[in-house]
């Protein structure tokens, strides 16, 4: 009887631990879909894919980050230097991008090896 109670308690705490770990992991991922209306018409985004040159992707991600910051509740603390976000380009391809300098028009840097073609 004592063994069953310990086993039941262990199962409970394992589920709690899994839930907390998943919650922490899910909170840290920011996904920006450029097919949304607010990003779709940006000049540097419309024809950008993961196959585009790195400078084109930097400029597009910089525009997207600027619009995201401007429309957030706290524009000066949103996407600080060093933060990363995942971007979905209009063709459906995705990549991770790191913010280098929020004041620069191309203040983002694509993370090497994170490009996923459609």
């Amino acid at each position: 009887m004592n063994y069953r109670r310990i086993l039941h308690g262990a199962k409970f705490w394992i589920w709690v631990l899994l839930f907390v770990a998943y919650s922490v992991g899910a909170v840290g991922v920011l996904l920006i879909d450029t097919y949304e209306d607010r990003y779709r018409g940006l000049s540097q985004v419309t024809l950008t894919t993961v196959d585009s040159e790195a400078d084109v992707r930097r400029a597009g991600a910089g525009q997207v980050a600027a619009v995201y910051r401007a429309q957030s509740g706290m524009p000066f603390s949103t996407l600080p230097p060093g933060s990363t976000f995942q971007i979905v380009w209009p063709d459906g391809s995705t990549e991770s991008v790191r913010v280098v300098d929020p004041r620069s028009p191309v203040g983002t840097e694509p993370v090497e090896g994170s490009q996923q073609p459609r």
Side-chain angles (χ1 to χ4, degrees), residues 39 60-72 75 79 85 102 104-105 108:
Y39 306 114
Q63 275 190 333
V64 167
V67 169
Y68 182 82
R69 271 190 219 97
Q71 293 183 347
S72 72
L79 294 177
F85 62 93
S104 171
T108 59

Side-chain angles (χ1 to χ4, degrees), residues 3-118:
Y3 173 74
R4 285 187 178 178
R5 190 168 54 191
I6 292 172
L7 185 62
H8 178 71
K11 286 180 185 178
F12 172 77
W13 287 111
I14 287 173
W15 281 109
V16 168
L17 179 66
L18 287 173
F19 176 75
V20 169
Y22 175 77
S23 298
V24 168
V27 167
V29 176
L30 172 62
L31 180 70
I32 299 177
D33 188 358
T34 58
Y35 197 70
E36 291 180 21
D37 289 335
R38 59 183 166 175
Y39 306 114
R40 193 178 317 161
L42 297 174
S43 62
Q44 299 294 325
V45 173
T46 54
L47 300 176
T48 306
T49 68
V50 294
D51 297 325
S52 302
E53 293 182 25
D55 289 337
V56 173
R57 296 192 333 256
R58 277 188 206 101
Q63 275 190 333
V64 167
V67 169
Y68 182 82
R69 271 190 219 97
Q71 293 183 347
S72 72
M74 300 181 308
F76 297 108
S77 62
T78 304
L79 294 177
S83 61
T84 59
F85 62 93
Q86 199 169 35
I87 189 166
V88 179
W89 296 113
D91 71 334
S93 57
T94 62
E95 71 178 317
S96 293
V97 179
R98 181 175 295 110
V99 177
V100 180
D101 182 10
R103 295 167 291 179
S104 171
V106 287
T108 59
E109 184 71 33
V111 176
E112 286 298 321
S114 67
Q115 293 78 17
Q116 302 267 331
R118 183 169 187 233

